[in-house]
């Protein structure tokens, strides 16, 4: 900080270096602050892999959702309010908590997001989305 002494005005403070320091600190804090992430995280299946086998040893859980918001876990029909409790019951003895959500093309996204939210609330680690293209082998 520099002081200048003029006989007419008295001591005057030079604030230019203070503004420079303030701007540098502002930039540093903007860079190191992590961005806020919004939305639902989901793992999408990658095309070109081997098709899944339908053996009895396959213990994958697929939540199927049609356009009328009817739910099924694999082949078992279930109501939306009972979904969280049923998922907790299914995964209470499993170490790997992975669920796939399959919805028809005419299903509104809010229903899919609600199912993913319920699955995350039931302590499911990974929620994957199944698409019709990958099911058809395209």
């Amino acid at each position: 900080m520099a002081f200048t002494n003029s006989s007419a005005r008295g001591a005057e403070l030079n604030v230019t270096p203070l503004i420079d320091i303030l701007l540098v600190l502002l930039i540093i804090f903007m860079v190191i602050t992590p961005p806020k992430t919004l939305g639902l995280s989901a793992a999408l299946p990658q095309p070109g892999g081997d098709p899944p086998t339908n053996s009895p040893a396959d213990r994958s859980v697929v939540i199927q959702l049609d356009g009328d918001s009817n739910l099924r876990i694999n082949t078992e029909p279930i109501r939306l309010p009972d979904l969280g409790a049923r998922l907790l019951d299914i995964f209470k003895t499993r170490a790997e908590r992975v669920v796939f959500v399959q919805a028809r093309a005419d299903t509104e996204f809010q229903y899919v997001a609600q199912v993913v939210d319920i699955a995350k609330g039931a302590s499911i680690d990974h929620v994957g989305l199944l698409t019709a293209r990958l099911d058809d082998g395209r």
Side-chain angles (χ1 to χ4, degrees):
M1 288 185 257
F3 290 100
T4 60
N5 191 0
S6 107
S7 60
R9 294 185 289 182
E12 192 175 302
L13 179 65
N14 186 4
V15 294
T16 304
L18 293 176
I19 293 174
D20 291 341
I21 292 171
L22 177 70
L23 290 175
V24 168
L25 288 174
L26 180 66
I27 291 171
I28 288 172
F29 285 121
M30 286 174 53
V31 169
I32 65 171
T33 303
K36 184 177 181 183
T37 57
L38 299 174
L40 300 170
S41 61
L44 297 175
Q46 299 299 317
D50 294 331
T53 60
N54 292 331
S55 66
D58 188 21
R59 296 174 32 137
S60 60
V61 176
V62 178
I63 301 172
Q64 298 169 343
L65 180 66
D66 64 8
D68 299 328
S69 70
N70 294 326
L71 289 172
R72 286 183 287 158
I73 296 179
N74 292 343
T75 57
E76 172 189 345
I78 192 163
R79 296 180 325 127
L80 187 63
D82 302 332
L83 179 62
R86 181 67 180 125
L87 288 174
L88 284 172
D89 186 46
I90 290 173
F91 288 104
K92 67 182 173 187
T93 59
R94 294 188 186 188
E96 185 178 274
R97 296 174 175 264
V98 178
V99 167
F100 296 101
V101 177
Q102 180 180 29
R104 289 191 343 203
D106 59 346
T107 305
E108 291 186 28
F109 180 72
Q110 68 179 357
Y111 298 122
V112 176
Q114 190 174 11
V115 168
V116 170
D117 185 45
I118 291 172
K120 286 290 189 176
S123 301
I124 303 300
D125 295 331
H126 300 287
V127 178
L129 301 176
L130 295 179
T131 61
R133 264 190 203 169
L134 292 176
D135 290 341
D136 293 342
R138 291 187 270 167

